[in-house]
Amino acid sequence: MRSFFAASPPRTAIILAIFGFLLNLYPLPLFANVQLILGNAAYVIAAVILGPRYAVAVALVCAAGLFLTWDTKHVFVLFPLEALVLALARRRGIYSLYAGVGFWLLIGTPLFYLYGLTLTSLPVSHLPFIAFKQAINGLFYIGLGAVLLLMMPKLAQINPGYRNAPERFSDKLTYSFTLFISLALLIAALLFNQFFIDRQQLLIKKNLQDNAVHLSQLTFDYLREHQRAIIQGAEWLSMMGDDFERQDWLTQFNHGYPAFLTMLIANDRGNIVAASPAARMMDDAIKNGAYSVIDRHYFKEAFYNQTPFISPVFLGRGFGSDPIVAVSAPIYSPGRSSHPAGILEGSLDLKRFVLIDRQNRHHSEQFLLLTDDNNRVIYASAPLNIASLSEFASAESGLEYRTSLQLINLHDLNNPNPEYIYAVEPLANGWRLMVLTPFAPLMQLAETQFLRTCILLILSMGFCFYLARLISRMMTGSLETIAHEFKSPGEQPKPLPADAPAEVQALYQSLKASQRQLLSYQLELEEKVAIRTLELETANQKLQALAERDPLTGLYNRRHATAEFAPLQALCERSGEAIAVVILDLDFFKAINDTHGHLAGDECLRQVAILLTQHFKRDSDLVARYGGEEFLLILPMTNALKIEHHLNQLRENLARHPVNHPSGNEPINLSVSIGAMVANANFSDSLEAWLKVADDNLYQAKAQGRNRVVCTLISDGVPTP
């Protein structure tokens, strides 16, 4: 995690884009085609912490994931635009949730509705719900992204160069309170809607399945009852033989079973010997024996296979022209049960299935569809508008819908949106019975429930914001009063309102006591600061002396001499005075250290320093220890004719006064070699040029035997010995 938080903005944008893309490949499915987008929270985070440019880039990648899932191009316009609005709003100090509500209310929902109206084939009646669903979805992932940012405050440190507007504590408290409660309410509403719709689906599925089982049993009983009637009638005809009036019997028999549209008795050649209604027998072809049903499947099955038979649905020809289902059974001659003498056949009136349809408790909401073993329609409820005897055509639908229901289309087979919910139950004879109910009412119920819940959610969010604002003011109002009253320490704070919380009152009293104590500490501190300032000034003076003077001799050091030369040179140059620069070096000083010790050598240096300060005591004379046993004299406003004599007096004075040994041994005789130069101040602004001449003269003094002065007078740039 630490490496993630230390990531650069481009790397963070790439990570967010990848996460958003992958999550958008798998939206969270709810009922039907309602899906929750989680991946868009990635560009919400990018908009807050990275700014508009990165937010739009991340949104485009997230939109690519949705495009692969939904195959719709509007995502490349709507979501990057949303990311841009969120980023610009956050830069102006507007929180993401507030900006999201404004975006979907003023831009997102109208834009999506216009897109659906002009560029898609979605039903106009569904567009408001779809647009509203998209807005709720947007608020969900905006809230999710904002909560993640609050839970991981280190994310804001990824892009230090991008700073949002300063936040007031009361505003942030109100926003956090509103955000968490709104997101919790939104999740609760979605879960409630999902539970409600799932419950409705289970009820519909169970009801359809129960009705399918019940109606299939009724249908099977209906067929079995009429098949049994045909079988019993055939058995009675077999016992009676040909010695009675079959036409009258058949007419009476048909009256007992009115579900048979027509009935007939055919002999072994397929000629009709009796028919009901009896008017069918007036046909000349039937009376002359020229009409035969020997080629009909119901004759063949009953006569040749000698088994009762229920036919698939077919269109009658000759003897009736209605779609029918034929029920037939063989007739035998008395005493000859091995070879049929003909058949008894009844044509079931398919319109009679409407009686079974009406026995459905939900007849007005559900439809019945019955097909035979050849997949032809036997019966269909009138609202289905499917003709009997037609080839049954259907298509499984709603394959992308999250539902446990079986969905089907009967009319618009290529439409991905389902038309009906169905349950199917097979019959023992190969027929299939389907119970169907329109899918649209369930979808409308889901839409209505979703809209009602979300409207209630929006009202709750508004109330939540008001409540959060009220609580925030209660918590921070007194604190702001305290901050204002204690802003000026010298002023006496005013008392808090009586309704201020006890904790704030305690804080107020504590601050008052702290203020009094602070004033006392302030006076004490000012006194201590004055004392410390005086001590510091004294210490600074000592430090200044240590920085400018040689600790052994008390003379100025080389650095100070170098720093002071420029103002002395400028002063003499303005007045046309001469300057003498002198370098003194103790003769054979190393031998003194080696013979008498370093303590003796240090004492020699101190005595020489005292002699120098006594000999050159003008305020303008600068005497410094140049280094080791060397001393430097800078003598402004010097008499060029007397300087050499003055230096010789110094040399002789030093020679006449031996230095007492620190340990009481014999005195130490000293001599000094002196190199000097005298020139007008305009000779050079650089001390190094003066020192070079003096140093050369010192070298000559030593070369000439030491204990002597070599002085050069420079006039108009020409040295004079």
Side-chain angles (χ1 to χ4, degrees):
M1 290 295 293
R2 294 186 65 181
S3 61
F4 174 79
F5 287 127
S8 62
R11 182 181 174 189
T12 303
I14 292 173
I15 294 173
L16 290 173
I18 292 175
F19 275 126
F21 176 82
L22 294 178
L23 287 175
N24 280 348
L25 290 177
Y26 306 97
L28 187 63
L30 297 179
F31 168 69
N33 60 347
V34 178
Q35 296 177 326
L36 281 182
I37 308 170
L38 302 180
N40 283 2
Y43 69 71
V44 175
I45 296 175
V48 175
I49 66 174
L50 300 180
R53 181 177 57 181
Y54 289 109
V56 172
V58 174
L60 287 172
V61 177
C62 295
L66 288 176
F67 175 75
L68 295 177
T69 304
W70 292 349
D71 192 24
T72 176
K73 296 180 180 179
H74 80 278
V75 296
F76 290 112
V77 176
L78 187 63
F79 296 137
L81 180 61
E82 180 187 26
L84 180 62
V85 170
L86 293 179
L88 294 177
R90 192 67 189 101
R91 178 176 286 179
R92 298 179 63 89
I94 302 174
Y95 289 105
S96 301
L97 183 63
Y98 304 156
V101 172
F103 171 81
W104 285 106
L105 183 64
L106 302 176
I107 301 175
T109 303
L111 189 63
F112 187 86
Y113 184 86
L114 182 63
Y115 163 79
L117 191 65
T118 58
L119 299 178
T120 69
S121 58
L122 294 172
V124 177
S125 59
H126 288 184
L127 282 178
F129 169 73
I130 297 174
F132 187 73
K133 176 190 69 176
Q134 188 65 57
I136 294 298
N137 206 341
L139 295 182
F140 177 79
Y141 59 69
I142 290 174
L144 179 62
V147 167
L148 290 176
L149 281 172
L150 288 179
M151 295 175 64
M152 295 185 291
K154 289 187 178 180
L155 281 174
Q157 304 173 9
I158 290 178
N159 188 12
Y162 181 68
R163 287 286 184 264
N164 296 317
E167 300 175 337
R168 296 181 59 194
F169 175 71
S170 59
D171 293 338
K172 190 168 185 178
L173 183 63
T174 301
Y175 174 67
S176 301
F177 190 79
T178 304
L179 175 63
F180 279 102
I181 293 185
S182 298
L183 188 61
L185 289 174
L186 180 57
I187 293 175
L190 293 174
L191 291 176
F192 172 76
N193 284 335
Q194 186 64 26
F195 173 79
F196 176 80
I197 295 301
D198 286 345
R199 182 65 179 170
Q200 293 298 316
Q201 290 182 86
L202 289 176
L203 292 176
I204 291 174
K205 184 176 182 179
K206 185 177 185 304
N207 180 264
L208 286 176
Q209 194 62 48
D210 291 347
N211 286 345
V213 172
H214 173 67
L215 295 178
S216 65
Q217 186 61 46
L218 290 178
T219 302
F220 181 74
D221 292 344
Y222 174 77
L223 292 174
R224 184 171 57 181
E225 175 188 357
H226 287 80
Q227 185 182 37
R228 186 181 298 115
I230 292 295
I231 293 173
Q232 291 175 352
E235 291 176 352
W236 198 89
L237 289 173
S238 298
M239 290 186 296
M240 296 300 296
D242 297 331
D243 299 334
F244 76 104
E245 184 56 46
R246 292 186 175 185
Q247 181 61 50
D248 293 339
W249 176 87
L250 187 60
T251 300
Q252 294 298 323
F253 187 73
N254 196 179
H255 288 167
Y257 293 94
F260 288 114
L261 186 63
T262 61
M263 299 187 73
L264 61 85
I265 300 174
N267 59 23
D268 56 354
R269 295 183 300 278
N271 299 123
I272 298 175
V273 296
S276 177
R280 301 285 185 176
M281 294 301 297
M282 302 303 295
D283 187 270
D284 293 337
I286 294 176
K287 288 194 297 183
N288 298 331
Y291 185 82
S292 175
V293 296
I294 195 171
D295 61 333
R296 307 296 174 86
H297 49 289
Y298 59 80
F299 182 88
K300 294 178 181 179
E301 292 290 337
F303 187 82
Y304 295 111
N305 294 332
Q306 301 183 37
T307 58
F309 176 68
I310 299 177
S311 75
V313 65
F314 66 97
L315 186 65
R317 51 188 178 88
F319 193 71
S321 58
D322 298 314
I324 57 173
V325 171
V327 182
S328 59
I331 301 173
Y332 298 93
S333 299
R336 296 182 62 187
S337 59
S338 60
H339 186 70
I343 67 164
L344 173 64
E345 183 268 339
S347 298
L348 282 175
D349 185 1
L350 300 186
K351 296 179 182 179
R352 289 276 178 165
F353 282 104
V354 73
L355 300 177
I356 297 175
D357 192 359
R358 289 174 180 172
Q359 294 189 46
N360 186 359
R361 296 189 303 272
H362 303 275
H363 172 71
S364 61
E365 303 171 4
Q366 297 179 359
F367 310 131
L368 181 64
L369 180 66
L370 187 64
T371 60
D372 61 16
D373 51 354
N374 290 330
N375 204 37
R376 289 183 176 272
V377 177
I378 298 175
Y379 171 80
S381 299
L384 293 178
N385 196 27
I386 299 177
S388 299
L389 202 61
S390 63
E391 186 76 20
F392 177 66
S394 66
E396 294 291 329
S397 184
L399 300 179
E400 297 181 357
Y401 281 44
R402 181 187 180 274
T403 176
S404 60
L405 301 173
Q406 298 184 89
L407 305 176
I408 196 172
N409 282 6
L410 301 181
H411 303 98
D412 190 357
L413 304 185
N414 296 322
N415 192 339
N417 299 314
E419 296 175 353
Y420 298 99
I421 310 167
Y422 75 97
V424 62
E425 190 69 23
L427 276 65
N429 63 342
W431 290 10
R432 289 196 318 156
L433 183 139
M434 298 179 67
V435 179
L436 306 99
T437 188
F439 180 75
L442 178 62
M443 195 64 185
Q444 291 173 357
L445 176 64
E447 292 177 4
T448 302
Q449 180 66 24
F450 190 84
L451 290 174
R452 288 175 179 174
T453 305
C454 290
I455 291 174
L456 181 62
L457 172 64
I458 293 174
L459 296 177
S460 300
M461 288 174 62
F463 176 75
C464 173
F465 175 79
Y466 171 76
L467 184 62
R469 194 70 177 173
L470 186 63
I471 294 175
S472 173
R473 287 178 178 175
M474 290 175 59
M475 295 180 63
T476 61
S478 299
L479 295 177
E480 290 179 355
T481 301
I482 292 176
H484 177 73
E485 294 299 335
F486 285 92
K487 180 171 60 176
S488 301
E491 298 179 2
Q492 183 66 22
K494 299 178 181 178
L496 288 179
D499 60 348
E503 294 85 356
V504 177
Q505 292 280 8
L507 175 63
Y508 177 76
Q509 297 300 330
S510 176
L511 287 175
K512 285 181 64 177
S514 298
Q515 185 186 41
R516 290 192 295 267
Q517 190 174 10
L518 182 61
L519 291 174
S520 175
Y521 286 157
Q522 182 179 0
L523 295 176
E524 183 180 351
L525 181 60
E526 288 176 354
E527 182 180 358
K528 289 183 178 180
V529 167
I531 296 173
R532 294 292 186 270
T533 301
L534 180 59
E535 293 175 350
L536 182 60
E537 290 177 353
T538 304
N540 284 337
Q541 292 175 358
K542 294 180 179 179
L543 289 174
Q544 182 71 19
L546 291 174
E548 295 177 349
R549 295 190 178 271
D550 174 53
L552 178 63
T553 63
L555 299 178
Y556 288 115
N557 56 26
R558 179 176 180 175
R559 183 177 62 182
H560 178 75
T562 303
E564 288 296 318
F565 175 76
L568 291 175
Q569 187 265 344
L571 177 64
C572 292
E573 187 175 8
R574 285 194 300 271
S575 60
E577 300 287 345
I579 300 176
V581 175
V582 183
I583 299 178
L584 300 89
D585 184 85
L586 296 181
D587 295 332
F588 305 109
F589 186 73
K590 184 177 184 302
I592 295 173
N593 279 332
D594 294 341
T595 303
H596 301 283
H598 287 283
L599 291 177
D602 291 344
E603 182 62 24
C604 292
L605 293 173
R606 281 192 288 269
Q607 293 299 324
V608 171
I610 293 172
L611 183 62
L612 287 173
T613 55
Q614 292 174 349
H615 206 71
F616 300 97
K617 52 188 177 182
R618 293 185 307 169
D619 292 340
S620 60
D621 293 342
L622 194 151
V623 182
R625 184 181 177 188
Y626 193 62
E629 68 274 18
E630 290 185 340
F631 296 87
L632 172 64
L633 301 176
I634 300 177
L635 309 173
M637 296 176 286
T638 299
N639 188 333
L641 300 177
K642 295 181 179 181
I643 186 62
E644 185 173 358
H645 174 71
H646 198 55
L647 291 174
N648 276 315
Q649 285 181 340
L650 170 67
R651 178 181 59 79
E652 293 169 357
N653 194 7
L654 179 62
R656 286 195 302 268
H657 295 85
V659 176
N660 295 326
H661 197 284
S663 60
N665 295 334
E666 61 182 32
I668 303 171
N669 294 313
L670 295 176
S671 66
V672 63
S673 298
I674 301 174
M677 70 159 294
V678 181
N680 289 332
N682 59 5
F683 170 74
S684 176
D685 294 338
S686 173
L687 179 61
E688 296 299 325
W690 297 75
L691 291 175
K692 183 179 184 306
V693 177
D695 194 56
D696 290 342
N697 289 343
L698 176 63
Y699 180 77
Q700 291 181 22
K702 289 185 177 184
Q704 293 174 9
R706 292 183 172 84
N707 193 21
R708 64 186 64 249
V709 175
V710 176
C711 181
T712 300
L713 176 61
I714 299 178
S715 177
D716 297 328
V718 179
T720 302

